[in-house]
Amino acid sequence: MAATATMAMATISPTTPIPTAPFPSLPLGFRLLPQPLLLSASRRLLLVPVPRASSWDESAPEEEGEAEESEQSSAAGDEEDEDEDEDEKPRPEPVSSAEFQFAAPPEGYVEPAAFDELPPESPEDVAAAYESLYGPAFSGETVLGNNVFEVKVVDPIDMDREQRPNDDFSERVVQVNRVTKVVKGGRQLSYRAIVVVGDMKGHVGVGVGKAKEVTEAITKAAMNGRRNLVTVPLTKYSTFPHRADADFGAARVMLRPACPGSGVIAGGAVRVVLEMAGVENALGKQLRSKNPLNNARATIKATQMMRQFKDVSEERGIPMEELWK
């Protein structure tokens, strides 16, 4: 036992510290001493620390290489800066406000007055300026002399029968129908009225209106008919100058002049339109559909296809007496 301990101590170098045994309270016979690290001579040479001087000598060439790389990068950066300086345009030298001179004004130039020194503008001048830029005002009144016509429409809902426009036009109801609109909650009932408006002097119009009440629907239709007035050409015998046929939708209407004393020989909406226009002698016929609205509008369309004798004579350049030769 003593010989083994002596051999173990002989292999430990004098500089290596000997660790103490664990569990010092145990008896000496039960203590376990750790075995020292045994290294061969070749491994001891590998673990010898390298002196500081040798490490400096080995790192010297690396530092030289890094210095060369830094010098090359700095040289490349200087070349790029020189290229950028060459690409940049030369900047002009700043000129002070005292040295700048404005161009001389042309001959006959009169400097305008300041804004505060101008005379005040009248409302007419302001309206003329706005009209030259944006056109006539919504009111229809113009200050430049243009012919602007606008029909002033009164809301028929707020208008009673006694408050209707007092003009020479009379009204005749052609048809009043009850119409239904199906919505999510059920059906909505309303009335549609067809009214013909005329002055018995060659002016007539057909209007349509819808409302919850019959009177309101008739009022709306009358206002709509006044907006759609047309002029019917008539002769001194209160008849048409010539025959005409017209279509509107599925309806077709035929109109023919008649001799004095014949009266208006027509039916349905055609008769109402001719009487409200002031026609006393004429023949009318509904050839296809019997829809009163389409027949009334077809009658209006047929009257607009007619021309007066004087207009045709002026176009042809001959006297009116020679039209029938």
Side-chain angles (χ1 to χ4, degrees):
M1 185 70 180
T4 306
T6 304
M7 292 175 60
M9 293 297 293
T11 57
I12 299 174
S13 61
T15 58
T16 303
I18 300 174
T20 59
F23 308 104
S25 60
L26 296 175
L28 185 59
F30 294 97
R31 293 180 185 179
L32 299 176
L33 295 177
Q35 297 293 332
L37 183 62
L38 302 177
L39 299 176
S40 60
S42 60
R43 292 186 178 180
R44 288 177 184 174
L45 293 176
L46 293 175
L47 296 177
V48 174
V50 181
R52 189 180 299 275
S54 64
S55 63
W56 291 348
D57 296 339
E58 292 176 358
S59 61
E62 294 180 0
E63 294 179 356
E64 291 178 359
E66 293 178 358
E68 292 178 358
E69 292 179 359
S70 61
E71 290 177 0
Q72 292 177 0
S73 60
S74 62
D78 296 340
E79 292 178 358
E80 292 179 359
D81 296 341
E82 292 177 358
D83 296 340
E84 292 178 358
D85 296 341
E86 292 178 357
D87 295 341
E88 291 182 357
K89 296 181 180 180
R91 297 181 179 178
E93 298 180 359
V95 181
S96 61
S97 59
E99 299 177 359
F100 182 77
Q101 296 180 359
F102 292 93
E107 297 181 1
Y109 172 76
V110 180
E111 186 176 357
F115 176 77
D116 300 336
E117 299 177 1
L118 294 175
E121 296 181 352
S122 62
E124 291 77 9
D125 298 338
V126 176
Y130 272 94
E131 185 175 345
S132 62
L133 293 175
Y134 306 108
F138 179 76
S139 62
E141 300 177 359
T142 174
V143 295
L144 299 182
N146 299 332
N147 295 326
V148 180
F149 176 77
E150 179 186 359
V151 179
K152 295 184 178 180
V153 181
V154 182
D155 191 357
I157 298 178
D158 301 334
M159 184 187 304
D160 298 334
R161 183 175 293 274
E162 299 177 357
Q163 298 177 355
R164 291 183 181 180
N166 186 15
D167 49 16
D168 297 335
F169 292 93
S170 57
E171 306 169 3
R172 283 187 62 178
V173 179
V174 177
Q175 188 186 46
V176 177
N177 280 346
R178 188 179 68 176
V179 295
T180 306
K181 180 181 179 182
V182 180
V183 295
K184 181 179 180 181
R187 296 181 179 181
Q188 293 182 355
L189 300 179
S190 59
Y191 295 91
R192 186 194 71 170
I194 303 173
V195 178
V196 178
V197 181
D199 60 352
M200 308 291 183
K201 298 178 182 178
H203 299 91
V204 66
V206 178
V208 182
K210 292 182 181 181
K212 299 292 184 181
E213 301 294 336
V214 176
T215 56
E216 293 181 2
I218 294 173
T219 305
K220 285 185 177 182
M223 296 298 296
N224 183 255
R226 283 180 170 84
R227 298 191 192 104
N228 301 316
L229 292 174
V230 297
T231 302
V232 178
L234 299 175
T235 64
K236 62 180 180 180
Y237 300 110
S238 299
T239 187
F240 301 127
H242 56 86
R243 62 179 59 187
D245 299 340
D247 300 340
F248 191 93
R252 183 178 180 84
V253 173
M254 177 186 67
L255 300 180
R256 298 289 185 268
C259 59
S262 300
V264 178
I265 305 175
V270 179
R271 184 183 185 90
V272 177
V273 173
L274 297 182
E275 288 180 353
M276 299 304 293
V279 180
E280 297 179 1
N281 304 293
L283 302 175
K285 181 65 177 176
Q286 301 176 8
L287 299 178
R288 293 180 184 172
S289 174
K290 305 302 179 183
N291 186 296
L293 180 58
N294 286 349
N295 279 287
R297 289 179 173 174
T299 306
I300 297 292
K301 185 178 179 180
T303 57
Q304 297 305 297
M305 296 170 61
M306 300 178 183
R307 294 189 300 170
Q308 293 284 10
F309 297 139
K310 61 179 181 179
D311 298 336
V312 178
S313 63
E314 290 177 359
E315 291 178 3
R316 297 175 61 180
I318 58 177
M320 190 181 301
E321 294 77 8
E322 297 183 3
L323 290 176
W324 293 271
K325 293 182 180 180

